[in-house]
Amino acid sequence: MTQTAARAFPPRRFTATRISQAIDGEVRAPGGSGTVEGVHRHAVNIRWRTGLLTVAHESMGGLPNGIAVDPPIALDQIGIVPGVRVESDGATLRVPAASVAVLLVGAASWSPTMPVLRGLAAGTRIERAELALALAADQAPRVGLGPLTAGLAGHRASIGSLGRAAARSLAEVLEALWHGRLERAASAASPLIGLGPGATPSGDDLLVGLAAGLAVTDHPLAGAFAAGVARDAAGLTTSVAESYLHHAGRLEFSERVQTAALAILTGPEAELRDAVSAALAWGATSGVDLLVGLLVGIQAGVAPRLGERLRACAGDGEVAA
Amino acid sequence: MSVVRQRVFRNAYRDSVELMRIASEIERLPGVIRAGLVMCTPANLAIVAEAGLGKGLDPGAGPNDMVVALAANDEAAAEAAFERAASLMRGAAAEAAGEGQRFVPTTISEAVAELPEANLALISTPGTYAAAEALKALKRGMHVFLFSDNVPVEDEIELKQLGVRKGLLVMGPDCGTAILDGVPLGFANAVRRGKVGLVGASGTGLQQVTCLLDAFGAGVSQAIGVGGRDLHEEVGGLMMLAGLERLVADQETDVVVLISKPPAPSVAARVLEAASAASKPVVVNFLGGDAETIRAAGAHPATTFEEAAQTAAGLSLGGTPTPLEDYAAEPGELAAGLAAGQERIAGLYSGGSLASEAKVVLKGLLGADAAAGQSIVDLGDDEYTVGRPHPMIDPRLRSEKIEEAGYDPLVAVILLDIVLGYASHPDPAGALIPAIEAARSAAAAGVRGLAVIASVCGTPNDPQGLAGQRAILADAGVHLAASNARAARLAGLVVQHAAMREVHA
């Protein structure tokens, strides 16, 4: 199998442009090795000794566990298959079976830590989140948590079972956070772990978004809540989703999530609109799932009506304006 | 009594849309009641169990595994569904691993990274995104073949002006065909290579001329499509002028052919000025245009695509070209079976330029008023292709229209173009025969005759085979003509005969 791949595909050489600070040390340490776990068009997931690493096209932006590379050759077309070995000598990451090399020297070190916006007025947070929700409700796909955006925007909508489950958990999480009950918040979030279709199930994306919303608005329980969810997620979801939750537990997020959060909270309206449209285009349903979590998270503790709306969505699923 | 079964795929990642697509396909299989595909996380397995699909699930399945869970009428239906699911999964997996798949780039960057020496980008995205992709390609120094339509004219002007500044061709938007260095792009035919270079703002016009050049024994050096709006006032013929300049400079080209619907007068003047300065003979076919103006510019005018091809072939070969096969149907004989009142041609075209040519031919033959009374329709026009493929690919709409024409007591002749070549339907003639027979039956039931006349635009080397397609039509009683112009003329003569007969009756 290995020899076949090596014969069929020419050698490829990529240059790492950015490496997340969260994994920089381990990936640039000589003698490290891992195994390819999943191969996609724009990303390859590698099981490393310390966790999951992702080698991804620069166009995907910074990932908390990621190495961004150039040129943007389709990574699922160059002979890398699950199970093959990956090695690092500190300067180069190699997949010998596919004759692929990623030059690490010269790559910039990128911080996945979510910037914190302190002192934002409650009214601003609600107003900006409501506007983003209204835009998302108009544009969101009718898959994943897309239908829930309509319900949260106050439209009459059929939410679906996934949306109802998400709304129920989110309402309980918000209430628990309001009362400062950390354990109860984490326990209310646990039904969402691994819930829904896809390589990163919708429930996990939602929780990453929620943690991001709490982190960027400097919620006092953001770190503890996210860390609790990450601990609970171990072994209960796919390894990719688990990795994102693990980093969210350290308040580390992808560049896309960081950019969206900042644009929604502080950017001019045109930037907010662009951020919503861009977020909805991520992956199959991940974008809308993350966005719902983010918009709920940035309103946590300041928008009592949001809890009511979530409970309405969690009910019969038919939400009236 | 239904059965509930599951099959687990180890370490199988798929995105949610793909999972839903596979589930939906499985649910449509006969005997399948319900199906779901999810990653085996505890949360998802709880839902599977709640849905009544969890009984008997392999307890070893973990979060990185995927399960296909289904309820079916019986074991056989369940097994067939699993086989289909496995097949769909294998297909996706093989694609993911790059096994036996051609590389399909999704962005210009990916394509250039894969093929750095590429100097042309073929763009066929929805019109909204096409201009941006074309701009990226031009900025990278690549010629552009822009198959997409619905690109705003302002964008076309900007792209073509940039192309001129950078010395690059912008073929399109809405460019259906080109043959560059022998490589066919879009809808194009397998023509022999030779010394005639063409620039056309007319997709099927270019195809017709290149095919007829082949039939006349000549060949093509380059055929450059420029899109139907290139000779409009706003665009100014930028790419026809650029194409002409290239062909005049091209050592492999001895004769140049320019094809278009009537251009804006100022643009026509500019193109003819460039043609008059050319060091090579230039044949100009501006459908319905003024031959004297073209002749005055020192170029060779052609009123039809056939005439353009014949003139260019003669100039290229230095003598009289091989005559076209003459099918010699008698208009009087075709008119003999028609009933009183049958005086109309239903021209049902897949090629827009061929439809335009038919109108020009009929106007010349019947006069403007009588020609205007004929129904010559381009079924490839945007009006007919919203939400469905072009009729050169999908014959269904044309089949419906053919059958409808059979019921129309005014219709004497159904006039058709059959366009062969790369990207066209694999059997365009055969696909229309049931409709032609149904139309004839409908006319016969109304005690009427019905003449069906067609030309086949193609070459012996086209994937569909010219002789075979002609034989299919002839066997079905379709009257063939060697070119579209001849077919239109024959149709015009038939209705002329029918009208004369009524006058004398």
Side-chain angles (χ1 to χ4, degrees):
Chain A
M1 180 71 186
T2 298
Q3 286 176 343
T4 302
R7 274 203 306 268
F9 297 91
R12 301 279 182 176
R13 197 173 173 82
F14 295 87
T15 302
T17 52
R18 285 189 294 173
I19 301 176
S20 166
Q21 286 171 5
I23 59 161
D24 202 350
E26 59 197 77
V27 81
R28 288 207 235 215
S33 66
T35 307
V36 170
E37 196 169 282
V39 185
H40 306 270
R41 189 177 195 92
H42 303 292
V44 173
N45 293 316
I46 302 163
R47 173 60 55 194
W48 210 249
R49 185 179 56 80
T50 48
L52 197 73
L53 305 184
T54 299
V55 173
H57 286 172
E58 171 65 34
S59 61
M60 290 187 70
L63 297 174
N65 63 340
I67 302 165
V69 297
D70 204 46
I73 293 170
L75 297 169
D76 59 355
Q77 308 272 340
I78 56 175
I80 302 176
V81 293
V84 298
R85 185 176 166 79
V86 184
E87 301 162 353
S88 172
D89 60 8
T92 308
L93 197 67
R94 294 181 196 282
V95 186
S99 305
V100 169
V102 178
L103 192 65
L104 303 172
V105 177
S109 189
W110 168 79
S111 170
T113 303
M114 176 67 88
V116 175
L117 299 172
R118 293 191 176 86
L120 276 177
T124 305
R125 285 163 60 180
I126 296 170
E127 188 187 327
R128 305 286 296 190
E130 290 281 329
L131 176 57
L133 263 176
L135 292 168
D138 287 343
Q139 302 171 39
R142 304 296 296 169
V143 291
L145 295 175
L148 183 57
T149 57
L152 290 177
H155 301 161
R156 179 174 291 280
S158 176
I159 306 297
S161 57
L162 181 64
R164 285 199 298 276
R168 191 178 309 121
S169 285
L170 283 173
E172 289 174 17
V173 169
L174 287 189
E175 191 175 343
L177 288 175
W178 175 254
H179 291 104
R181 294 175 183 160
L182 191 59
E183 275 187 31
R184 188 166 162 191
S187 138
S190 64
L192 295 172
I193 295 168
L195 180 68
T200 54
S202 293
D204 300 314
D205 285 328
L206 177 75
L207 289 170
V208 171
L210 178 65
L214 296 172
V216 72
T217 53
D218 200 24
H219 193 286
L221 296 181
F225 168 74
V229 170
R231 271 194 304 276
D232 290 349
L236 296 183
T237 188
T238 65
S239 51
V240 183
E242 191 179 322
S243 172
Y244 287 137
L245 285 169
H246 164 75
H247 285 281
R250 298 162 53 170
L251 303 185
E252 294 167 347
F253 301 91
S254 70
E255 186 181 14
R256 286 171 164 185
V257 172
Q258 292 183 28
T259 305
L262 297 176
I264 286 167
L265 283 167
T266 62
E269 190 173 319
E271 206 174 295
L272 180 150
R273 288 175 182 277
D274 290 347
V276 170
S277 300
L280 293 176
W282 303 337
T285 63
S286 288
V288 70
D289 302 335
L290 277 160
L291 191 63
V292 170
L294 178 66
L295 297 178
V296 168
I298 63 182
Q299 295 184 81
V302 297
R305 282 191 58 212
L306 181 64
E308 290 168 24
R309 215 173 268 167
L310 282 166
R311 278 188 287 278
C313 291
D316 61 6
E318 287 287 339
V319 179
Chain B
M1 185 69 179
S2 63
V3 296
V4 171
R5 296 288 181 269
Q6 306 88 10
R7 187 153 298 171
V8 172
F9 294 80
R10 302 287 175 193
N11 286 315
Y13 286 101
R14 300 289 182 274
D15 74 43
S16 47
V17 168
E18 193 180 331
L19 292 183
M20 285 186 275
R21 182 180 63 78
I22 296 175
S24 160
E25 186 162 332
I26 298 303
E27 276 193 335
R28 285 200 300 270
L29 293 174
V32 175
I33 301 163
R34 265 178 307 151
L37 275 78
V38 289
M39 303 305 291
C40 294
T41 63
N44 286 339
L45 293 181
I47 291 173
V48 168
E50 220 172 273
L53 298 176
K55 191 179 167 192
L57 179 66
D58 176 2
N64 291 323
D65 302 327
M66 186 171 60
V67 64
V68 180
L70 56 86
N73 285 339
D74 51 40
E75 291 288 354
E79 194 49 41
F82 286 135
E83 275 179 25
R84 180 66 187 142
S87 156
L88 291 167
M89 302 283 291
R90 272 198 304 275
E95 190 179 344
E99 292 165 6
Q101 297 286 322
R102 289 187 61 196
F103 174 72
V104 183
T106 54
T107 65
I108 294 276
S109 299
E110 275 187 16
V112 172
E114 184 65 22
L115 197 61
E117 68 275 21
N119 66 353
L120 182 143
L122 192 158
I123 295 166
S124 180
T125 65
T128 320
Y129 312 105
E133 292 305 312
L135 197 58
K136 285 180 206 165
L138 287 170
K139 285 182 176 173
R140 287 174 180 269
M142 301 166 83
H143 301 287
V144 169
F145 181 90
L146 194 47
F147 194 77
S148 312
D149 57 6
N150 294 314
V151 174
V153 72
E154 297 77 17
D155 290 344
E156 177 174 352
I157 294 166
E158 186 187 341
L159 291 170
K160 287 185 169 174
Q161 286 175 342
L162 179 61
V164 169
R165 286 200 299 277
K166 294 179 78 87
L168 297 167
L169 289 172
V170 179
M171 292 168 273
D174 202 11
C175 185
T177 185
I179 303 171
L180 303 176
D181 292 337
V183 178
L185 300 174
F187 295 107
N189 300 87
V191 299
R192 74 165 65 85
R193 297 211 67 188
K195 295 287 190 180
V196 181
L198 305 96
V199 190
S202 152
T204 45
L206 260 184
Q207 285 190 265
Q208 174 81 108
V209 177
T210 54
C211 288
L212 291 174
L213 279 168
D214 193 276
F216 282 125
V220 173
S221 57
Q222 310 286 347
I224 302 168
V226 295
R229 288 189 308 220
D230 190 70
L231 280 82
H232 286 197
E233 185 77 49
E234 316 92 286
V235 186
L238 288 174
M239 282 302 129
M240 182 162 277
L241 291 166
L244 173 61
E245 192 181 329
R246 280 175 175 271
L247 293 178
V248 169
D250 177 23
Q251 294 193 343
E252 298 301 313
T253 299
D254 287 347
V255 180
V256 179
V257 179
L258 306 179
I259 306 169
S260 171
K261 290 170 190 168
S266 65
V267 180
R270 222 172 298 153
V271 172
L272 290 176
E273 189 185 337
S276 71
S279 55
K280 296 176 181 176
V282 180
V283 179
V284 178
N285 170 233
F286 291 158
L287 271 182
D290 178 26
E292 277 315 308
T293 314
I294 294 167
R295 202 170 282 120
H300 300 262
T303 53
T304 64
F305 297 137
E306 179 183 337
E307 195 182 337
Q310 187 171 21
T311 306
L315 290 165
S316 171
L317 299 170
T320 308
T322 317
L324 295 181
E325 197 170 347
D326 191 359
Y327 295 92
E330 275 299 321
E333 281 175 26
L334 298 188
L338 300 174
Q342 279 190 280
E343 293 177 7
R344 185 175 292 169
I345 300 167
L348 299 170
Y349 274 85
S350 60
S353 300
L354 296 175
S356 297
E357 185 190 39
K359 287 179 188 173
V360 169
V361 168
L362 291 172
K363 189 176 169 188
L365 179 70
L366 305 176
D369 290 345
Q374 309 304 325
S375 169
I376 307 297
V377 182
D378 167 19
L379 294 171
D381 195 60
D382 291 349
E383 177 188 350
Y384 299 101
T385 53
V386 176
R388 66 167 88 216
H390 192 279
M392 277 159 61
I393 299 168
D394 181 348
R396 285 176 298 175
L397 175 66
R398 188 148 73 145
S399 293
E400 286 170 24
K401 298 285 181 191
I402 289 171
E403 202 168 336
E404 276 173 26
Y407 284 95
D408 187 339
L410 299 179
V411 170
V413 180
I414 294 176
L415 175 61
L416 302 170
D417 62 335
I418 309 293
V419 183
L420 313 185
Y422 302 107
S424 284
H425 189 279
D427 178 17
L432 297 180
I433 298 305
I436 291 170
E437 286 171 352
R440 280 231 183 77
S441 300
V447 199
R448 296 189 302 275
L450 184 65
V452 183
I453 298 170
S455 65
V456 182
C457 175
T459 73
N461 290 323
D462 277 331
Q464 300 88 346
L466 180 61
Q469 290 290 299
R470 281 180 170 160
I472 289 169
L473 293 165
D475 287 349
V478 175
H479 300 281
L480 291 168
S483 71
N484 178 60
R486 292 189 194 200
R489 184 173 169 76
L490 177 59
L493 289 171
V494 171
V495 294
Q496 219 171 31
H497 266 271
M500 292 296 288
R501 197 182 54 186
E502 289 198 19
V503 169
H504 292 134

